[in-house]
Amino acid sequence: MDTAKNTDTTSWWERLTERCYATSTATLARNVKQEAGASYDALINDLEKPLEPHFEQAVARQLAAGQPAHFRPARTLMPVMMQRFGLNESALEEGGLINHADYVALRDTCNACGAVGDCWKAMRANAELDECRHICPNANAFDALAAR
């Protein structure tokens, strides 16, 4: 009987702990952003580092609500997004397949994107091309460049 009671207590405690963590994750992410700026910058610019799902979602919401002034999606997200479309950023520039003004326009569109939180999560999750087409405002331009 003690074993059954102990299992119920452990299960209850684990649920409570998980619930407390889940409800405080947004605050934790906000505190990391405010108090540990360099660590937060490294975190949002590293698309490979595994993150706990609740924390990753909280960071994505922060990015969607307004990215930090020093975060440039075109620097972090656009090269990865371009790879999904079969493009290589440096090869496009070097090969003259894209002129400077067009490239700047692509970067400006990326930096002003309203879906940066969704894009960040998608690039971290190695999203398939179809999902990328739905997220990215540069999708048509990337498709046209890939068709060249």
Side-chain angles (χ1 to χ4, degrees):
M1 185 132 199
D2 262 345
T3 307
K5 191 174 184 178
N6 198 5
T7 302
D8 289 345
T9 304
T10 302
S11 175
W12 172 85
W13 182 253
E14 288 174 353
R15 287 192 313 269
L16 176 64
T17 302
E18 177 61 29
R19 179 75 176 151
C20 289
Y21 174 74
T23 57
S24 67
T25 305
T27 302
L28 173 63
R30 188 172 42 255
N31 288 344
V32 170
K33 179 180 175 183
Q34 292 171 350
E35 304 296 328
S39 295
Y40 186 80
D41 291 345
L43 182 136
I44 61 176
N45 285 295
D46 184 351
L47 301 176
E48 302 292 322
K49 185 174 225 52
L51 296 175
E52 191 279 328
H54 288 106
F55 186 77
E56 181 180 54
Q57 182 64 36
V59 172
R61 282 189 195 118
Q62 284 180 350
L63 291 172
Q67 56 212 354
H70 47 277
F71 178 66
R72 295 289 175 252
R75 184 176 53 228
T76 301
L77 302 174
M78 194 168 107
V80 180
M81 181 65 79
M82 290 176 74
Q83 289 173 359
R84 298 295 189 283
F85 284 83
L87 301 170
N88 180 302
E89 193 174 28
S90 58
L92 286 174
E93 287 182 292
E94 290 171 10
L97 296 174
I98 187 168
N99 66 46
H100 182 70
D102 289 340
Y103 184 71
V104 169
L106 290 172
R107 291 181 64 87
D108 289 346
T109 299
C110 183
N111 285 329
C113 181
V116 70
D118 292 334
C119 181
W120 182 78
K121 280 185 61 180
M123 296 303 93
R124 289 181 51 75
N126 294 315
E128 297 292 326
L129 183 57
D130 286 339
E131 183 180 349
C132 293
R133 281 194 177 101
H134 287 73
I135 294 172
C136 187
N138 282 326
N140 291 337
F142 291 156
D143 277 333
L145 287 168
R148 287 186 182 182

